[in-house]
Amino acid sequence: MSSARKRPFNTLAMHGALILYTLIALFPVFVILINSFKTRKKIFREPLALPDAESFSLVGYQTVLKQGDFFLYFQNSLIVTVASLALVLLFGAMAAFALSEYRFRGNLLMGLYLALGIMIPIRIGTVAILDLMVSTGLVNTLWALILVYTAQGLPLAVFILSEFMRQVSNDLKDAARIDGLSEYTIFGRIVLPLVRPALATVAVFNMIPIWNDLWFPLILAPAEEVKTLTLGSQVFIGQFVTDWNAVLSALSMAILPVLLLYVIFSRQLIRGLTSGAVK
Amino acid sequence: MQKPRTRWHILVFLAPAVLIYTAVMIFPLFNTLRLALYSKIDQERVYTGLQNFQTLFGDPIWSEQFWNALGNNFWFFLIHMLVQNPIGIALAALLSHPRLRFAALYRSAIFIPTILSFVIVGFAWKLILSPIWGIAPSMLDAVGLKSLFAPWLGKEEYALTTLALISVWQFVGIPMMLIYAALLTIPEEILEAGEIDGITGMSAFWKIKLPLILPSIGIISILTFVGNFNAFDLIYAAQGALAGPDFSTDILGTFMYRTFFGFQLQLGDPHMGAAIAGAMFAIILVGVCIYLFGIQTRMRRYQL
């Protein structure tokens, strides 16, 4: 390590390796984005050239906006993601509070029961989940997706949040109890604000898999009016395979919102991943 | 703390999470295993015991598909273990180097593929590797390797490996981040003590850091295992439910989907789908148990 500090050659090699890998990571995204703004001819003739005055074209985006209901898909994805996150955070925090704050019979068992779902993927139960949603009439509604993602997110949320809640000082809570505050007020006014960083971590962990999921939208909510953006772009691209402008534009439109979310939340996400919350 | 009356608030706090989790996750999980023991005969659900499993493993048409999917799934997992995790560790080792400039920038950029959906990743690579568009062949041409080009996603012998490598490209960010976090927790004193003994550079990595991050490598391995054995989206997005060419990219997730919903010539059969889900459950359970009891408990942990 110290030898690397002394030798500029090593530093150079390290930057070289990292730059090479960064290029590999970004190249496909870059190619899709630049070509979505070009005419069909130029897409094929000069796939790696940036769009210029001559090759610039929005024809793909026009097709996408005309043919696909991308605003509706986007809205559906947004509703599903936000609602699931809200439920995961609220119910997860409540359960984590109960498990970390009170001693009662079955506490440990309940914790283990809730932790089961961390390792076992919810997809295994798909056949019966579809049964359940059909019999409750929730199939082809956004509620079906919201419930599934809430159930999927809860185990890890409870696990992470109860770890953090154990660190909240007992004196603070006892002082509040002496002042006559109810347990609900203590949870809402004292504990929740104190674990806000952990809540953010849980939210960011859950956000990306929910937004990107293809399996459950495909199975539980394939109808046009409840399609999520991921499923919507999948179906759209499948239908327009030969229209390269439309396909590239649809891909770019699916990339941009995620990229935007990432730019906003990347610090939170990386802090969460590196803080050891998932050990 | 000890109050004589029932503490209703505990129930209130626990109820929503436990209810949703039980109703939407645990109950369907066991119900799926139960449904695997039934069959639909003349529009009626009939208990048939282990017959679905007998069909799955005994009937040559089914068992051939099952073993094909399972074998492909293991190959998929092996490539992740051999390519994704070493690259992730190497990137993390580079990034955790003190005084490396732009580390945050590299880290954020390399993580970008991980946040994209399988649909985007699948189609993007399909376009790039497509012989029609010609980006891949012309890039190989630029370095004089054009003869190496083949329509990788369209050839039976390469398609699965290509898809596995695409998946590696997408998810390398996760091992990178977790190992990076583990490397940051190694105290400077230990490394300095090593330096005094003349252990620096690469040998410091092999002899000091690697043994210390072994538990994190274990966690990454089990996460990779569980993730790979219920993977579906990438194959579906890139190759469709038939997992072409000629089922060469079929894995358990696509096999279950096809069986459950049916495809061109075959009607969907939820009970056979449930049987395959049961087999997947067993495989994942075995993997998790091997990790929990065989690897994790035997791993030496160092007090830092």
Side-chain angles (χ1 to χ4, degrees):
Chain A
M1 181 169 281
S2 67
S3 57
R5 283 178 199 164
K6 287 174 210 141
R7 272 185 267 161
F9 171 77
N10 267 1
T11 318
L12 212 66
M14 277 166 53
H15 278 287
L18 284 167
I19 289 172
L20 179 74
Y21 199 84
T22 306
L23 288 179
I24 294 175
L26 295 185
F27 173 73
V29 180
F30 175 74
V31 169
I32 299 293
L33 286 177
I34 59 168
N35 281 293
S36 72
F37 292 104
K38 295 202 292 208
T39 56
R40 188 180 166 82
K41 217 188 202 169
K42 288 288 176 182
I43 291 175
F44 283 97
R45 203 157 294 160
E46 290 159 359
L48 293 178
L50 286 169
D52 54 27
E54 189 207 348
S55 64
F56 184 80
S57 157
L58 289 173
V59 63
Y61 288 94
Q62 283 158 2
T63 318
V64 171
L65 293 179
K66 224 183 302 163
Q67 303 285 338
D69 215 340
F70 271 73
F71 287 110
L72 178 71
Y73 302 157
F74 181 78
Q75 193 189 330
N76 287 337
S77 277
L78 202 65
I79 293 173
V80 168
T81 310
V82 171
S84 314
L85 284 182
L87 292 181
V88 166
L89 291 180
L90 177 66
F91 295 161
M94 282 163 63
F97 183 66
L99 290 177
S100 62
E101 180 65 16
Y102 308 114
R103 286 208 273 161
F104 56 91
R105 269 207 295 169
N107 181 319
L108 186 70
L109 218 60
M110 186 57 86
L112 282 177
Y113 173 69
L114 286 171
L116 269 182
I118 297 178
M119 275 301 177
I120 299 166
I122 192 169
R123 280 182 188 186
I124 303 282
T126 305
V127 175
I129 290 177
L130 181 62
D131 247 22
L132 177 79
M133 295 302 171
V134 170
S135 62
T136 49
L138 287 177
V139 87
N140 274 330
T141 63
L142 295 179
W143 273 110
L145 297 177
I146 294 171
L147 284 173
V148 167
Y149 295 140
T150 307
Q152 170 186 279
L154 278 172
L156 193 63
V158 172
F159 184 74
I160 294 178
L161 291 174
S162 54
E163 292 286 307
F164 275 85
M165 285 184 183
R166 285 203 184 96
Q167 293 163 15
V168 174
S169 115
N170 273 326
D171 296 348
L172 209 59
K173 286 174 283 192
D174 290 339
R177 284 195 183 102
I178 292 166
D179 286 345
L181 294 187
S182 74
E183 296 297 321
Y184 306 108
T185 323
I186 293 175
F187 169 71
R189 290 279 181 77
I190 297 175
V191 176
L192 269 194
L194 283 174
V195 294
R196 222 163 28 197
L199 289 173
T201 303
V202 171
V204 175
F205 276 159
N206 279 297
M207 189 164 66
I208 293 165
I210 295 177
W211 183 275
N212 285 340
D213 187 40
L214 179 63
W215 175 263
F216 284 112
L218 187 66
I219 289 170
L220 297 178
E224 182 64 23
E225 66 277 8
V226 287
K227 263 185 201 145
T228 60
L229 187 61
T230 305
L231 179 60
S233 24
Q234 204 269 332
V235 173
F236 179 87
I237 293 169
Q239 283 165 355
F240 282 77
V241 205
T242 48
D243 186 343
W244 284 65
N245 291 94
V247 167
L248 289 166
S249 307
L251 280 174
S252 304
M253 284 181 64
I255 292 175
L256 286 174
V258 194
L259 217 54
L260 200 70
L261 281 177
Y262 179 62
V263 171
I264 299 171
F265 290 111
S266 70
R267 190 177 291 173
Q268 192 61 249
L269 175 75
I270 288 169
R271 199 187 299 149
L273 274 170
T274 52
S275 72
V278 277
K279 278 184 208 157
Chain B
M1 276 294 276
Q2 283 296 309
K3 292 174 198 164
R5 60 194 171 81
T6 321
R7 291 176 292 167
W8 285 107
H9 52 264
I10 298 183
L11 206 66
V12 173
F13 280 131
L14 276 174
V18 173
L19 281 180
I20 293 187
Y21 173 70
T22 309
V24 187
M25 184 153 182
I26 297 297
F27 170 72
L29 193 65
F30 285 100
N31 203 19
T32 300
L33 299 182
R34 188 182 67 89
L35 285 174
L37 304 177
Y38 288 76
S39 283
K40 205 166 202 166
I41 300 170
D42 299 332
Q43 302 303 315
E44 266 188 68
R45 197 173 267 182
V46 186
Y47 179 79
T48 50
L50 293 175
Q51 206 194 313
N52 286 334
F53 290 97
Q54 262 169 20
T55 315
L56 185 60
F57 297 113
D59 187 333
I61 299 171
W62 283 97
S63 69
E64 194 187 314
Q65 286 195 70
F66 176 79
W67 294 116
N68 172 45
L70 185 65
N72 286 344
N73 223 148
F74 266 107
W75 180 242
F76 199 69
F77 171 61
L78 198 70
I79 294 205
H80 280 80
M81 287 299 285
L82 293 181
V83 182
Q84 171 188 286
N85 296 346
I87 292 181
I89 295 167
L91 288 171
L94 289 177
L95 284 175
S96 69
H97 198 278
R99 299 197 211 165
L100 178 82
R101 298 181 66 193
F102 313 118
L105 198 67
Y106 291 129
R107 213 172 50 190
S108 307
I110 293 174
F111 201 71
I112 283 182
T114 312
I115 62 161
L116 300 177
S117 80
F118 296 95
V119 173
I120 297 168
V121 171
F123 278 109
W125 277 101
K126 213 172 153 175
L127 298 183
I128 288 168
L129 297 177
S130 156
I132 303 173
W133 196 5
I135 286 200
S138 61
M139 285 184 72
L140 283 175
D141 197 20
V143 286
L145 292 171
K146 194 177 182 187
S147 58
L148 282 182
F149 179 78
W152 286 299
L153 282 172
K155 290 250 181 178
E156 265 177 60
E157 59 268 44
Y158 305 128
L160 181 66
T161 311
T162 310
L163 281 168
L165 289 174
I166 292 173
S167 173
V168 165
W169 170 81
Q170 183 177 9
F171 285 115
V172 87
I174 290 178
M176 178 185 84
M177 288 292 187
L178 294 178
I179 295 290
Y180 174 72
L183 286 171
L184 287 188
T185 62
I186 299 176
E188 190 72 6
E189 298 93 76
I190 294 185
L191 298 173
E192 277 167 12
E195 265 176 44
I196 292 167
D197 291 339
I199 302 170
T200 57
M202 282 301 271
S203 66
F205 176 77
W206 290 110
K207 289 186 179 153
I208 302 174
K209 292 182 188 171
L210 198 63
L212 288 172
I213 58 170
L214 273 183
S216 300
I217 296 178
I219 291 175
I220 288 164
S221 308
I222 189 66
L223 287 179
T224 312
F225 179 81
V226 175
N228 284 166
F229 275 85
N230 77 97
F232 160 81
D233 310 51
L234 178 68
I235 311 262
Y236 182 78
Q239 307 288 57
L242 285 174
D246 194 23
F247 299 113
S248 61
T249 55
D250 201 20
I251 58 173
L252 291 170
T254 46
F255 181 40
M256 169 171 131
Y257 177 82
R258 233 183 19 249
T259 311
F260 184 14
F261 280 96
F263 60 102
Q264 287 139 352
L265 296 172
Q266 185 188 329
L267 281 173
D269 182 346
H271 299 289
M272 279 310 283
I276 298 170
M280 287 166 75
F281 181 63
I283 293 165
I284 290 175
L285 212 60
V286 168
V288 171
C289 286
I290 291 178
Y291 167 71
L292 284 180
F293 303 113
I295 299 175
Q296 202 199 22
T297 50
R298 284 197 202 150
M299 213 176 284
R300 280 170 76 180
R301 278 165 194 279
Y302 299 88
Q303 285 269 300
L304 293 179

